[in-house]
Amino acid sequence: MATPMEYDTLREIYSSTMAALTRLETQPGINAAQFKEAENSFVQVWLNEVKRKDLKEINYQSAAQKMKDATKPWMSLETKN
């Protein structure tokens, strides 16, 4: 069960990650297909672990880790450029 504060933290992680993805998407040399795959993976984790669940069903530690893991593919895209 996540607390309201933990839920807000997960929302902030989502918002800041999506902002970073938007910046990354505009960088030259980004493979559009790889980018979309990485973005979709992250959004699916958000939807499945947080957005589509009641607060009492959210496992904060698990959701935060899965969101972090889902950013790894695009983080490698960012560091290559």
Side-chain angles (χ1 to χ4, degrees):
M1 179 170 153
T3 66
M5 187 179 208
E6 289 171 332
Y7 180 78
D8 288 344
T9 300
L10 292 171
R11 285 185 48 202
E12 180 56 37
I13 292 169
Y14 177 79
S15 296
S16 62
T17 300
M18 291 306 289
L21 282 169
T22 300
R23 289 190 301 275
L24 177 62
E25 186 175 27
T26 61
Q27 290 184 7
I30 295 293
N31 178 304
Q34 286 178 324
F35 176 83
K36 273 298 177 200
E37 183 179 332
E39 181 182 43
N40 288 340
S41 174
F42 179 76
V43 170
Q44 281 305 309
V45 169
W46 164 254
L47 291 173
N48 292 335
E49 296 298 319
V50 182
K51 190 67 176 168
R52 293 180 180 151
K53 292 185 175 186
D54 291 331
L55 194 61
K56 65 183 179 206
E57 298 173 323
I58 297 170
N59 180 324
Y60 173 75
Q61 293 295 331
S62 175
Q65 185 61 49
K66 288 178 181 179
M67 289 171 76
K68 180 180 176 185
D69 291 347
T71 64
K72 288 178 183 174
W74 67 264
M75 290 293 276
S76 65
L77 292 174
E78 186 174 38
T79 57
K80 289 179 186 174
N81 294 305

